[in-house]
Amino acid sequence: MARSFHQHAFSDVPTTRASSGESMAANNDQLSSELGSVNLATANTIESGVAVAARVSPATTTSAFNPAPTTPVSRKTAITNVRVFDGRKLLEPGIVVIEGDKIGLDSTGAYMVDGRGGVLIPGLIDSHTHVADVSTLTTLRRFGITTALDMETYPLTLLSALREQCGKNGLPDIRSAGIAATYHRKGFAPEGNVESPALARQWVDDRLSEGSDYIKVIADAPPFEPQPDPDTITAVVSAAHRAGKLTVAHATSCAGYRVAQGAQADIITHVPLEKDLDDTIVSQMFAENRVVVPTLIMMKQVAENTNIPQLKYTNARESVTAMYHSGIPILAGTDANAAESSPAKPEYGESLHTELELLVQAGMSTVDVLRSATILPAQKFGLDDRGIIVPGRRADLVLLSDDPIEDIKNTRKIQQVWSTI
Protein backbone atom coordinates (compact mmCIF):
# COMPACT_ATOMS: atom_id res chain seq x y z
CA MET A 1 0.00 0.00 0.00
CA ALA A 2 1.34 3.43 -0.91
CA ARG A 3 2.29 5.61 2.04
CA SER A 4 1.92 9.35 2.48
CA PHE A 5 3.32 11.65 5.10
CA HIS A 6 1.76 14.56 6.92
CA GLN A 7 2.95 17.92 8.16
CA HIS A 8 2.67 18.76 11.83
CA ALA A 9 4.82 20.16 14.61
CA PHE A 10 6.33 18.13 17.43
CA SER A 11 4.64 18.48 20.81
CA ASP A 12 6.59 19.29 23.94
CA VAL A 13 7.38 16.28 26.11
CA PRO A 14 8.53 16.01 29.73
CA THR A 15 12.28 16.27 30.10
CA THR A 16 14.15 13.28 31.53
CA ARG A 17 17.70 13.89 32.68
CA ALA A 18 20.48 11.45 31.80
CA SER A 19 24.07 11.16 32.88
CA SER A 20 26.45 11.62 29.97
CA GLY A 21 28.96 9.50 31.83
CA GLU A 22 31.91 11.84 31.19
CA SER A 23 33.36 13.93 33.98
CA MET A 24 33.93 16.74 31.48
CA ALA A 25 30.29 16.84 30.51
CA ALA A 26 28.22 19.59 32.17
CA ASN A 27 27.56 22.07 34.95
CA ASN A 28 24.54 22.11 37.24
CA ASP A 29 22.19 24.28 35.19
CA GLN A 30 18.94 22.74 33.99
CA LEU A 31 19.20 21.95 30.29
CA SER A 32 16.67 23.81 28.17
CA SER A 33 15.06 21.77 25.43
CA GLU A 34 14.62 24.92 23.34
CA LEU A 35 18.27 25.85 22.70
CA GLY A 36 19.60 27.50 19.60
CA SER A 37 18.88 29.94 16.85
CA VAL A 38 16.28 28.30 14.62
CA ASN A 39 12.53 28.03 14.95
CA LEU A 40 10.69 24.88 13.92
CA ALA A 41 7.76 26.09 11.87
CA THR A 42 6.56 22.81 10.43
CA ALA A 43 7.70 19.23 10.66
CA ASN A 44 6.57 16.07 8.91
CA THR A 45 6.19 12.81 10.77
CA ILE A 46 5.54 9.88 8.48
CA GLU A 47 5.02 6.17 8.36
CA SER A 48 8.07 3.94 8.53
CA GLY A 49 10.30 3.91 5.48
CA VAL A 50 10.04 7.46 4.16
CA ALA A 51 11.82 10.77 4.63
CA VAL A 52 10.65 13.47 7.02
CA ALA A 53 10.85 17.21 6.32
CA ALA A 54 11.14 20.05 8.80
CA ARG A 55 11.05 23.67 7.66
CA VAL A 56 13.03 26.05 9.84
CA SER A 57 13.41 29.78 10.07
CA PRO A 58 16.95 31.01 10.84
CA ALA A 59 17.94 33.30 13.70
CA THR A 60 14.75 32.85 15.69
CA THR A 61 14.48 31.50 19.22
CA THR A 62 11.32 29.73 20.26
CA SER A 63 10.06 28.59 23.64
CA ALA A 64 7.47 26.16 22.32
CA PHE A 65 6.52 24.25 19.20
CA ASN A 66 3.13 25.32 17.88
CA PRO A 67 1.05 22.59 16.25
CA ALA A 68 0.53 23.12 12.52
CA PRO A 69 -2.43 21.89 10.44
CA THR A 70 -2.04 18.36 9.15
CA THR A 71 -1.57 18.43 5.37
CA PRO A 72 -0.96 15.40 3.15
CA VAL A 73 2.24 15.65 1.10
CA SER A 74 3.32 13.48 -1.85
CA ARG A 75 5.67 10.65 -0.94
CA LYS A 76 8.03 11.60 -3.77
CA THR A 77 9.69 15.04 -3.54
CA ALA A 78 11.93 16.84 -6.01
CA ILE A 79 14.14 19.67 -4.74
CA THR A 80 14.78 21.91 -7.73
CA ASN A 81 17.24 24.74 -8.43
CA VAL A 82 19.66 23.56 -5.77
CA ARG A 83 23.46 23.28 -5.65
CA VAL A 84 24.62 19.97 -4.18
CA PHE A 85 27.74 19.50 -2.04
CA ASP A 86 29.15 16.25 -3.42
CA GLY A 87 31.82 15.84 -0.73
CA ARG A 88 34.42 17.89 -2.58
CA LYS A 89 32.71 20.85 -4.24
CA LEU A 90 29.36 22.40 -5.12
CA LEU A 91 27.71 21.16 -8.29
CA GLU A 92 25.81 23.37 -10.71
CA PRO A 93 22.11 23.96 -9.84
CA GLY A 94 20.04 20.85 -10.45
CA ILE A 95 17.36 18.55 -9.03
CA VAL A 96 17.53 16.07 -6.15
CA VAL A 97 14.72 13.53 -5.83
CA ILE A 98 13.55 12.00 -2.55
CA GLU A 99 11.61 8.79 -3.03
CA GLY A 100 10.56 7.00 0.12
CA ASP A 101 13.53 6.96 2.45
CA LYS A 102 16.16 7.16 -0.29
CA ILE A 103 17.56 9.61 -2.79
CA GLY A 104 16.02 8.73 -6.14
CA LEU A 105 16.45 9.49 -9.83
CA ASP A 106 13.07 10.06 -11.45
CA SER A 107 11.17 13.25 -10.59
CA THR A 108 8.03 12.25 -12.50
CA GLY A 109 4.96 13.01 -10.39
CA ALA A 110 7.03 14.45 -7.52
CA TYR A 111 6.02 17.24 -5.18
CA MET A 112 8.28 20.16 -6.14
CA VAL A 113 10.31 22.18 -3.62
CA ASP A 114 12.12 25.24 -5.00
CA GLY A 115 15.64 25.33 -3.56
CA ARG A 116 15.99 28.96 -4.71
CA GLY A 117 19.63 28.49 -5.63
CA GLY A 118 20.51 27.30 -2.13
CA VAL A 119 22.96 24.59 -1.13
CA LEU A 120 21.97 21.03 -0.29
CA ILE A 121 24.32 19.16 2.05
CA PRO A 122 24.01 15.70 3.61
CA GLY A 123 22.37 15.57 7.03
CA LEU A 124 24.96 16.50 9.66
CA ILE A 125 26.50 13.91 11.98
CA ASP A 126 27.57 14.79 15.52
CA SER A 127 30.35 12.30 16.25
CA HIS A 128 30.29 12.81 20.02
CA THR A 129 27.12 13.55 21.91
CA HIS A 130 25.11 12.21 24.84
CA VAL A 131 21.41 11.91 24.08
CA ALA A 132 19.15 12.97 26.91
CA ASP A 133 15.47 13.18 25.93
CA VAL A 134 13.14 13.69 23.00
CA SER A 135 13.32 17.48 23.36
CA THR A 136 17.08 17.52 22.86
CA LEU A 137 16.77 15.20 19.87
CA THR A 138 14.25 17.59 18.37
CA THR A 139 16.76 20.39 18.92
CA LEU A 140 19.45 18.40 17.12
CA ARG A 141 17.18 17.98 14.14
CA ARG A 142 16.32 21.66 14.03
CA PHE A 143 20.03 22.33 13.60
CA GLY A 144 20.34 19.88 10.71
CA ILE A 145 21.77 16.95 12.69
CA THR A 146 20.23 13.73 11.41
CA THR A 147 22.64 11.26 13.04
CA ALA A 148 23.72 11.36 16.69
CA LEU A 149 26.73 9.23 17.67
CA ASP A 150 26.14 8.78 21.38
CA MET A 151 29.14 8.16 23.62
CA GLU A 152 27.24 7.02 26.72
CA THR A 153 23.66 7.30 27.88
CA TYR A 154 22.53 5.74 31.13
CA PRO A 155 20.29 4.06 32.16
CA LEU A 156 20.01 1.86 29.10
CA THR A 157 16.22 1.90 29.40
CA LEU A 158 16.38 5.61 28.55
CA LEU A 159 18.58 4.95 25.54
CA SER A 160 16.21 2.24 24.30
CA ALA A 161 13.21 4.52 24.73
CA LEU A 162 14.91 7.29 22.75
CA ARG A 163 15.82 4.91 19.94
CA GLU A 164 12.18 3.84 19.79
CA GLN A 165 11.02 7.45 19.59
CA CYS A 166 13.43 8.14 16.73
CA GLY A 167 11.96 5.23 14.84
CA LYS A 168 8.47 6.63 15.24
CA ASN A 169 8.98 10.36 14.81
CA GLY A 170 11.80 10.90 12.35
CA LEU A 171 14.18 12.31 14.96
CA PRO A 172 17.94 11.86 14.46
CA ASP A 173 19.16 8.31 14.07
CA ILE A 174 21.01 7.26 17.24
CA ARG A 175 24.05 5.00 17.29
CA SER A 176 25.51 4.43 20.73
CA ALA A 177 28.37 3.01 22.76
CA GLY A 178 25.87 2.25 25.50
CA ILE A 179 28.02 2.07 28.65
CA ALA A 180 31.71 3.05 28.55
CA ALA A 181 34.52 0.98 30.08
CA THR A 182 35.87 2.76 33.17
CA TYR A 183 37.77 2.14 36.37
CA HIS A 184 35.83 3.50 39.36
CA ARG A 185 35.13 6.84 37.64
CA LYS A 186 32.70 9.23 39.28
CA GLY A 187 29.64 10.07 37.21
CA PHE A 188 29.83 6.95 35.05
CA ALA A 189 27.56 3.92 35.03
CA PRO A 190 28.67 1.37 37.65
CA GLU A 191 28.31 -1.39 35.05
CA GLY A 192 31.18 0.28 33.19
CA ASN A 193 33.77 -0.72 35.77
CA VAL A 194 36.29 -3.26 34.43
CA GLU A 195 38.56 -4.48 37.20
CA SER A 196 41.14 -6.47 35.21
CA PRO A 197 42.10 -7.68 31.73
CA ALA A 198 40.62 -11.08 32.51
CA LEU A 199 37.14 -9.51 32.71
CA ALA A 200 37.41 -7.60 29.43
CA ARG A 201 35.91 -10.19 27.10
CA GLN A 202 32.83 -10.78 29.26
CA TRP A 203 32.39 -7.02 29.68
CA VAL A 204 32.43 -6.50 25.91
CA ASP A 205 30.02 -9.41 25.39
CA ASP A 206 27.64 -7.80 27.88
CA ARG A 207 27.73 -4.51 26.01
CA LEU A 208 27.10 -6.18 22.69
CA SER A 209 24.14 -8.08 24.13
CA GLU A 210 22.73 -4.72 25.23
CA GLY A 211 22.99 -3.40 21.67
CA SER A 212 26.12 -1.24 21.73
CA ASP A 213 27.07 -0.21 18.20
CA TYR A 214 30.71 0.41 19.16
CA ILE A 215 32.78 0.13 22.32
CA LYS A 216 34.04 3.12 24.28
CA VAL A 217 36.89 3.07 26.80
CA ILE A 218 38.02 5.78 29.22
CA ALA A 219 41.80 6.06 28.78
CA ASP A 220 42.52 8.64 31.49
CA ALA A 221 41.05 10.29 34.58
CA PRO A 222 41.55 13.47 36.60
CA PRO A 223 44.59 13.33 38.95
CA PHE A 224 42.40 12.94 42.04
CA GLU A 225 40.64 9.81 40.69
CA PRO A 226 41.90 6.24 40.13
CA GLN A 227 43.68 5.91 36.79
CA PRO A 228 42.60 3.21 34.35
CA ASP A 229 44.93 0.26 33.90
CA PRO A 230 46.48 0.35 30.38
CA ASP A 231 46.50 -3.44 30.16
CA THR A 232 42.79 -3.58 30.92
CA ILE A 233 42.04 -0.87 28.34
CA THR A 234 44.06 -2.83 25.79
CA ALA A 235 42.18 -6.03 26.66
CA VAL A 236 38.80 -4.30 26.18
CA VAL A 237 39.86 -2.87 22.81
CA SER A 238 41.20 -6.24 21.68
CA ALA A 239 38.00 -8.02 22.73
CA ALA A 240 35.93 -5.46 20.82
CA HIS A 241 38.07 -5.88 17.71
CA ARG A 242 37.73 -9.66 17.88
CA ALA A 243 33.97 -9.13 17.94
CA GLY A 244 34.24 -6.90 14.87
CA LYS A 245 33.41 -3.68 16.70
CA LEU A 246 34.90 -0.21 16.37
CA THR A 247 36.51 1.27 19.51
CA VAL A 248 36.47 4.86 20.75
CA ALA A 249 38.83 6.08 23.49
CA HIS A 250 38.16 9.09 25.72
CA ALA A 251 41.50 10.88 26.26
CA THR A 252 41.83 14.43 27.56
CA SER A 253 45.56 14.33 28.36
CA CYS A 254 48.78 13.43 26.60
CA ALA A 255 49.06 10.43 28.92
CA GLY A 256 45.56 9.36 27.90
CA TYR A 257 46.55 9.64 24.25
CA ARG A 258 49.49 7.34 24.87
CA VAL A 259 47.23 4.79 26.58
CA ALA A 260 44.73 4.98 23.71
CA GLN A 261 47.54 4.61 21.20
CA GLY A 262 49.01 1.63 23.01
CA ALA A 263 45.61 -0.03 23.18
CA GLN A 264 45.13 0.46 19.41
CA ALA A 265 41.80 2.25 19.79
CA ASP A 266 40.37 3.19 16.41
CA ILE A 267 39.12 6.65 17.34
CA ILE A 268 40.25 9.07 20.05
CA THR A 269 37.84 11.67 21.31
CA HIS A 270 38.85 15.00 22.94
CA VAL A 271 42.29 16.62 22.77
CA PRO A 272 44.66 17.67 25.57
CA LEU A 273 44.64 21.13 27.12
CA GLU A 274 47.77 20.88 29.28
CA LYS A 275 50.07 20.91 26.23
CA ASP A 276 49.92 20.24 22.52
CA LEU A 277 50.59 16.77 21.19
CA ASP A 278 54.20 16.20 20.22
CA ASP A 279 55.36 15.15 16.75
CA THR A 280 56.05 11.58 17.87
CA ILE A 281 52.45 10.97 18.97
CA VAL A 282 51.03 12.67 15.88
CA SER A 283 53.28 10.70 13.52
CA GLN A 284 52.37 7.43 15.21
CA MET A 285 48.67 8.25 14.99
CA PHE A 286 48.95 8.88 11.27
CA ALA A 287 50.97 5.72 10.69
CA GLU A 288 48.39 3.62 12.55
CA ASN A 289 45.34 5.19 10.83
CA ARG A 290 43.97 6.76 14.00
CA VAL A 291 40.89 9.01 13.75
CA VAL A 292 40.23 11.95 16.10
CA VAL A 293 37.07 13.67 17.34
CA PRO A 294 38.68 16.65 19.12
CA THR A 295 35.47 18.27 20.52
CA LEU A 296 37.10 21.72 20.43
CA ILE A 297 33.91 23.39 21.70
CA MET A 298 34.06 21.20 24.82
CA MET A 299 37.77 21.80 25.38
CA LYS A 300 37.35 25.54 24.92
CA GLN A 301 34.56 25.70 27.47
CA VAL A 302 36.52 23.56 29.95
CA ALA A 303 39.53 25.87 29.67
CA GLU A 304 37.36 28.96 30.11
CA ASN A 305 35.20 27.63 32.93
CA THR A 306 37.86 26.00 35.10
CA ASN A 307 40.29 28.91 34.86
CA ILE A 308 43.24 26.61 35.58
CA PRO A 309 46.38 28.25 34.13
CA GLN A 310 47.82 24.95 32.90
CA LEU A 311 44.73 24.22 30.79
CA LYS A 312 44.99 26.30 27.62
CA TYR A 313 42.64 26.09 24.68
CA THR A 314 45.44 27.13 22.32
CA ASN A 315 47.14 23.80 23.05
CA ALA A 316 44.07 21.90 21.89
CA ARG A 317 43.73 24.03 18.77
CA GLU A 318 47.40 23.64 17.86
CA SER A 319 47.14 19.87 18.27
CA VAL A 320 44.23 19.78 15.84
CA THR A 321 46.22 21.88 13.39
CA ALA A 322 49.15 19.46 13.60
CA MET A 323 46.96 16.39 13.24
CA TYR A 324 45.10 17.86 10.28
CA HIS A 325 48.27 18.81 8.42
CA SER A 326 49.70 15.34 9.09
CA GLY A 327 46.69 13.76 7.36
CA ILE A 328 44.85 12.37 10.41
CA PRO A 329 41.08 12.29 9.75
CA ILE A 330 39.24 14.81 11.95
CA LEU A 331 35.55 14.31 12.78
CA ALA A 332 33.23 16.97 14.16
CA GLY A 333 31.78 16.22 17.59
CA THR A 334 30.58 18.34 20.49
CA ASP A 335 30.17 16.32 23.72
CA ALA A 336 26.76 17.99 24.08
CA ASN A 337 25.15 16.58 27.20
CA ALA A 338 22.71 16.93 30.07
CA ALA A 339 25.02 15.79 32.86
CA GLU A 340 25.30 17.53 36.22
CA SER A 341 28.89 17.25 37.32
CA SER A 342 31.46 18.89 35.08
CA PRO A 343 32.70 22.33 34.11
CA ALA A 344 31.32 22.54 30.56
CA LYS A 345 28.06 21.89 28.76
CA PRO A 346 27.99 22.47 24.99
CA GLU A 347 24.47 23.12 23.78
CA TYR A 348 22.69 20.48 21.75
CA GLY A 349 22.56 21.33 18.07
CA GLU A 350 24.02 24.81 18.03
CA SER A 351 27.37 23.61 19.35
CA LEU A 352 28.04 21.49 16.26
CA HIS A 353 27.98 24.64 14.12
CA THR A 354 30.35 26.30 16.59
CA GLU A 355 32.58 23.22 16.36
CA LEU A 356 32.73 23.58 12.58
CA GLU A 357 33.81 27.21 13.00
CA LEU A 358 36.49 26.25 15.53
CA LEU A 359 37.84 23.61 13.16
CA VAL A 360 38.19 26.26 10.45
CA GLN A 361 40.01 28.48 12.94
CA ALA A 362 42.35 25.54 13.60
CA GLY A 363 43.38 25.60 9.94
CA MET A 364 41.03 23.13 8.29
CA SER A 365 39.53 24.05 4.92
CA THR A 366 35.79 24.62 4.80
CA VAL A 367 35.46 21.64 2.45
CA ASP A 368 37.24 19.35 4.92
CA VAL A 369 35.19 20.74 7.79
CA LEU A 370 31.97 19.92 5.91
CA ARG A 371 33.36 16.45 5.28
CA SER A 372 34.13 16.12 9.02
CA ALA A 373 30.39 16.30 9.77
CA THR A 374 29.08 14.28 6.79
CA ILE A 375 30.95 11.75 4.66
CA LEU A 376 33.93 11.14 6.99
CA PRO A 377 32.00 10.07 10.12
CA ALA A 378 29.73 7.98 7.92
CA GLN A 379 32.80 6.18 6.56
CA LYS A 380 34.69 5.86 9.83
CA PHE A 381 31.69 4.58 11.81
CA GLY A 382 30.63 2.19 9.05
CA LEU A 383 27.43 4.03 8.15
CA ASP A 384 27.64 3.41 4.43
CA ASP A 385 24.04 4.44 3.76
CA ARG A 386 24.54 8.16 4.49
CA GLY A 387 26.92 11.12 4.42
CA ILE A 388 26.78 11.80 0.69
CA ILE A 389 24.03 12.83 -1.73
CA VAL A 390 23.84 10.10 -4.36
CA PRO A 391 20.95 7.89 -5.54
CA GLY A 392 20.23 5.00 -3.21
CA ARG A 393 21.57 6.63 -0.04
CA ARG A 394 19.43 7.81 2.87
CA ALA A 395 17.45 10.95 2.23
CA ASP A 396 19.06 12.80 5.15
CA LEU A 397 19.43 16.30 3.72
CA VAL A 398 19.82 19.91 4.84
CA LEU A 399 18.95 22.87 2.62
CA LEU A 400 21.00 26.02 3.28
CA SER A 401 20.33 29.45 1.85
CA ASP A 402 24.04 30.28 1.35
CA ASP A 403 27.32 28.60 0.48
CA PRO A 404 29.15 27.00 3.47
CA ILE A 405 32.32 26.55 1.41
CA GLU A 406 32.57 30.31 1.08
CA ASP A 407 31.80 30.82 4.79
CA ILE A 408 31.36 27.91 7.21
CA LYS A 409 28.96 30.04 9.27
CA ASN A 410 26.45 29.52 6.49
CA THR A 411 25.74 26.03 7.88
CA ARG A 412 23.56 27.91 10.34
CA LYS A 413 21.32 29.27 7.56
CA ILE A 414 19.07 26.24 7.50
CA GLN A 415 15.92 26.44 5.41
CA GLN A 416 14.71 22.83 5.55
CA VAL A 417 15.76 19.45 6.91
CA TRP A 418 14.84 16.01 5.60
CA SER A 419 15.59 12.95 7.71
CA THR A 420 14.90 9.25 7.27
CA ILE A 421 13.17 6.92 9.70
Side-chain angles (χ1 to χ4, degrees):
M1 182 178 68
R3 296 188 177 106
S4 63
F5 61 93
H6 307 275
Q7 289 188 330
H8 67 84
F10 290 105
S11 300
D12 287 336
V13 296
T15 298
T16 303
R17 297 190 63 81
S19 170
S20 73
E22 296 207 30
S23 65
M24 295 181 56
N27 59 28
N28 291 324
D29 295 336
Q30 174 68 31
L31 177 69
S32 168
S33 65
E34 308 302 339
L35 301 172
S37 61
V38 294
N39 174 37
L40 183 65
T42 62
N44 302 333
T45 295
I46 55 181
E47 296 182 52
S48 177
V50 288
V52 179
R55 186 175 302 279
V56 296
S57 175
T60 304
T61 301
T62 180
S63 60
F65 297 126
N66 298 316
T70 299
T71 307
V73 181
S74 168
R75 178 181 177 182
K76 182 189 290 188
T77 299
I79 309 166
T80 65
N81 188 26
V82 69
R83 296 172 290 166
V84 173
F85 175 65
D86 71 351
R88 293 292 181 186
K89 62 184 181 304
L90 291 186
L91 305 179
E92 293 299 317
I95 299 174
V96 174
V97 178
I98 301 172
E99 187 164 9
D101 62 347
K102 299 289 193 298
I103 298 169
L105 287 168
D106 182 11
S107 63
T108 303
Y111 172 76
M112 298 294 178
V113 175
D114 185 0
R116 299 183 179 181
V119 173
L120 197 67
I121 64 173
L124 298 172
I125 300 173
D126 189 336
S127 292
H128 186 142
T129 190
H130 298 274
V131 296
D133 52 49
V134 174
S135 297
T136 52
L137 290 174
T138 302
T139 299
L140 291 180
R141 186 164 173 262
R142 286 165 46 207
F143 281 93
I145 299 165
T146 57
T147 301
L149 301 181
D150 175 69
M151 291 300 159
E152 180 171 278
T153 289
Y154 184 81
L156 293 175
T157 51
L158 171 61
L159 178 62
S160 297
L162 291 174
R163 285 186 190 255
E164 183 179 354
Q165 287 298 315
C166 293
K168 291 178 179 178
N169 297 315
L171 295 173
D173 183 28
I174 299 171
R175 302 302 170 98
S176 181
I179 295 171
T182 64
Y183 182 70
H184 299 288
R185 281 292 303 275
K186 295 179 180 178
F188 286 78
E191 292 90 340
N193 191 48
V194 187
E195 293 283 354
S196 71
L199 299 176
R201 182 174 179 178
Q202 184 60 55
W203 187 91
V204 169
D205 288 345
D206 290 344
R207 302 294 77 75
L208 298 184
S209 69
E210 293 164 353
S212 293
D213 297 297
Y214 37 85
I215 297 298
K216 182 180 178 182
V217 297
I218 306 302
D220 59 12
F224 50 84
E225 291 190 27
Q227 297 300 308
D229 171 39
D231 290 339
T232 301
I233 296 299
T234 299
V236 171
V237 170
S238 297
H241 286 166
R242 285 195 297 271
K245 289 297 182 179
L246 190 77
T247 56
V248 180
H250 160 112
T252 62
S253 65
C254 292
Y257 261 68
R258 287 189 288 271
V259 171
Q261 283 279 97
Q264 296 294 298
D266 301 296
I267 297 172
I268 302 178
T269 186
H270 305 308
V271 66
L273 290 169
E274 84 271 20
K275 64 179 181 178
D276 56 325
L277 295 169
D278 62 40
D279 293 342
T280 300
I281 293 178
V282 172
S283 296
Q284 183 184 4
M285 291 173 66
F286 174 75
E288 296 178 355
N289 300 312
R290 208 73 65 229
V291 177
V292 175
V293 187
T295 65
L296 283 178
I297 178 61
M298 182 64 170
M299 309 317 295
K300 188 173 189 292
Q301 289 186 10
V302 168
E304 292 171 347
N305 294 351
T306 56
N307 199 31
I308 298 173
Q310 295 88 342
L311 302 183
K312 299 178 180 179
Y313 172 69
T314 54
N315 291 331
R317 186 180 62 204
E318 289 171 5
S319 292
V320 171
T321 302
M323 290 187 288
Y324 172 65
H325 287 304
S326 76
I328 295 170
I330 305 293
L331 309 185
T334 63
D335 204 2
N337 63 85
E340 299 180 349
S341 60
S342 85
K345 185 176 64 177
E347 296 179 341
Y348 287 91
E350 191 276 339
S351 61
L352 184 63
H353 297 273
T354 303
E355 183 72 14
L356 301 184
E357 294 160 17
L358 293 175
L359 291 174
V360 169
Q361 292 172 19
M364 292 179 63
S365 73
T366 53
V367 167
D368 284 337
V369 168
L370 287 175
R371 288 169 58 80
S372 78
T374 54
I375 183 65
L376 276 186
Q379 291 174 342
K380 300 306 179 182
F381 279 86
L383 305 175
D384 297 331
D385 60 346
R386 69 198 72 186
I388 190 169
I389 303 174
V390 296
R393 301 295 179 94
R394 285 170 60 105
D396 290 347
L397 304 167
V398 179
L399 179 61
L400 308 174
S401 62
D402 289 308
D403 181 0
I405 295 178
E406 179 179 317
D407 185 348
I408 199 64
K409 292 180 181 179
N410 287 335
T411 61
R412 297 175 181 269
K413 297 182 179 179
I414 299 171
Q415 304 303 301
Q416 193 156 341
V417 177
W418 290 265
S419 58
T420 299
I421 62 173

